[in-house]
Amino acid sequence: MLIYIFSDFQGEKFVPKGTPDLVILLGDIYFRDAMEIDKMYSCPKIGVYGNHDSTNEWKDTNIKLIHKEIFTFKGLTFAGFGGCPRYNRKPNQYDEEECFGFVNSINKVDVFIAHSNPAYTLSSSNWDAHRGFKSFNYLIKEKQPNYFLHGHIHEPFIKQIYSTEVYSVFPFAEIQI
């Protein structure tokens, strides 16, 4: 299965031609860009909002939001958690407890999608928007999804953490599962 993944179209944007089986949006993709992606690909599209998205950013598109939900496609299970750790009063920001409540409530999934990153390093500030969720570290260690896909930090990389392949997506990645 070919999957196209998009995240954080702030300053950079890449929408390739092709025929993916599934498209995943990891947030901070504004309405006009979401509409372009929606029209360009005829396959199913799922996603989570980022901290810079409005609460109805992709309204009137065929993009299925899976924040705090499970989605099954071609035998694979996907779970999603949007936004980032709370750092101000704007939407799509969550407390660590809310994130943990969701990740602790689910069984192992094949692919976990998120806007925010795991807590790669421990930030000294509770107001650091990019500090990541410690709950995602728990998810990766204890529930071991095959893939963990996130955006938010604007640094593309792939790394192995325990048995999970972690993709930091900016602004585009593709994977074959």
Side-chain angles (χ1 to χ4, degrees), residues 1-170:
M1 175 185 334
L2 178 61
I3 302 174
Y4 281 7
I5 311 156
F6 300 94
S7 189
D8 298 277
F9 278 10
Q10 300 158 336
E12 288 198 33
K13 175 180 165 183
F14 182 69
V15 182
K17 292 184 172 148
T19 55
D21 298 296
L22 179 69
V23 168
I24 297 175
L25 287 77
L26 300 177
D28 289 354
I29 299 174
Y30 300 119
F31 176 71
R32 66 186 176 280
D33 297 320
M35 289 291 289
E36 179 182 349
I37 290 167
D38 191 31
K39 288 178 183 174
M40 186 168 221
Y41 307 110
S42 60
C43 63
K45 293 164 275 292
I46 61 173
V48 293
Y49 285 150
N51 57 304
H52 294 293
D53 292 317
S54 71
T55 56
N56 64 351
E57 194 76 41
W58 305 335
K59 184 180 179 196
D60 301 324
T61 71
N62 294 306
I63 302 163
K64 177 177 176 43
L65 292 173
I66 66 164
H67 174 70
K68 295 171 71 173
E69 291 185 18
I70 305 291
F71 175 79
T72 303
F73 180 68
K74 291 192 175 186
L76 295 176
T77 54
F78 297 78
F81 195 89
C84 73
R86 184 167 307 287
Y87 67 97
N88 64 28
R89 293 178 189 241
K90 292 184 180 177
N92 303 319
Q93 297 177 36
Y94 304 94
D95 296 323
E96 189 72 49
E97 295 77 20
E98 187 171 1
C99 182
F100 183 76
F102 176 67
V103 301
N104 194 42
S105 74
I106 63 173
N107 295 319
K108 178 181 171 136
V109 295
D110 296 300
V111 183
F112 193 91
I113 72 169
H115 177 65
S116 186
N117 49 291
Y120 290 122
T121 59
L122 294 179
S123 173
S124 61
S125 171
N126 284 337
W127 301 110
D128 176 3
H130 296 106
R131 66 188 182 271
F133 283 112
K134 295 174 191 171
S135 299
F136 291 161
N137 298 45
Y138 165 83
L139 172 82
I140 290 168
K141 182 178 181 185
E142 299 300 324
K143 307 235 176 164
Q144 301 183 13
N146 297 328
Y147 298 90
F148 184 99
L149 314 174
H150 73 83
H152 192 48
I153 61 174
H154 301 204
E155 294 177 35
F157 60 80
I158 302 168
K159 67 167 67 175
Q160 191 77 28
I161 302 177
Y162 301 108
S163 64
T164 301
E165 198 165 324
V166 177
Y167 282 72
S168 176
V169 177
F170 178 68

